[in-house]
Amino acid sequence: GVKLDSLIILGDRRMDITLRRLTNALVFHTDPKKLVEADHAISLKLNDQMPELAQLEEQLKQKKKGEWTGEDLAMFVERMKTKETTMEIMKEIQKAAPELHQALVGERDVYMARAMDTMFSSSLQSILPPSSMSPTPSSIHTIVAVVGLGHISGVGRELKSLGWRQFTPPQC
């Protein structure tokens, strides 16, 4: 974005607010047993869907934690970073601990979507750098937003509820 002289906006909610909401959800509204059950359910589903993940997990269990290499960890993380895996995890967390999911994901989806809507439906002149190349609000037709996989559907749903006609998430 910087190389293209694009306007870059950090549009997520402040971390201290999210952490406060997350703590409140964990302490006052979340049953630890349900979280453990959700973790077990997630593991079973993922092992069924991706047998190679189960094999990798078994190999890593054979090693002591101090023996894990950066490559081991990187391989495990990459296998977990798929849209399907993320959606499965989000579904199980939402089912087991709805308040936790709301604080961690749902509220932030709304915040990010509303920030995007506000930025591009109001006058941008007050925040744009003074330049003859700066776009005017009426000339902006495309927005590129980078959000985590767990936020794509929620941000899209909120944007559509705000009247956005088109929301095209990439194929992840």
Side-chain angles (χ1 to χ4, degrees), residues 18-172:
T18 297
L19 290 175
R20 196 170 37 243
R21 297 281 299 131
L22 190 56
T23 301
N24 184 50
L26 275 169
V27 173
F28 298 113
H29 303 285
T30 302
D31 180 355
K33 279 176 66 176
K34 286 186 179 179
L35 275 182
V36 171
E37 290 168 6
D39 180 56
H40 183 69
I42 290 166
S43 293
L44 290 175
K45 283 182 182 179
L46 293 179
N47 288 341
D48 285 346
Q49 291 174 355
M50 298 181 285
E52 72 279 3
L53 189 60
Q55 293 169 344
L56 177 61
E57 192 175 5
E58 205 46 50
Q59 290 170 0
L60 291 175
K61 282 181 184 175
Q62 301 297 323
K63 295 182 174 186
K64 293 178 184 164
K65 287 205 177 181
E67 294 178 356
W68 284 24
T69 65
E71 188 178 305
D72 291 335
L73 189 56
M75 189 176 358
F76 184 77
V77 168
E78 285 306 311
R79 296 257 174 96
M80 295 298 291
K81 285 187 343 186
T82 66
K83 187 175 185 178
E84 294 77 22
T85 303
T86 302
M87 293 302 124
E88 281 295 326
I89 292 169
M90 292 294 120
K91 257 193 281 184
E92 289 299 325
I93 292 172
Q94 190 169 21
K95 195 168 32 172
E99 292 86 359
L100 179 74
H101 182 272
Q102 186 63 16
L104 190 60
V105 181
E107 293 173 6
R108 292 174 53 224
D109 290 348
V110 170
Y111 187 93
M112 288 185 275
R114 289 184 182 173
M116 283 186 249
D117 186 59
T118 300
M119 292 302 299
F120 292 95
S121 63
S122 64
S123 174
L124 293 174
Q125 297 308 312
S126 62
I127 61 164
L128 290 172
S131 160
S132 59
M133 298 297 285
S134 295
T136 62
S138 61
S139 71
I140 298 173
H141 300 287
T142 302
I143 299 167
V144 176
V146 180
V147 300
L149 279 174
H151 294 284
I152 293 173
S153 60
V155 169
R157 195 171 33 256
E158 183 65 19
L159 287 172
K160 285 181 181 178
S161 79
L162 293 169
W164 287 43
R165 287 174 280 153
Q166 188 174 358
F167 174 75
T168 312
Q171 298 302 316
C172 301

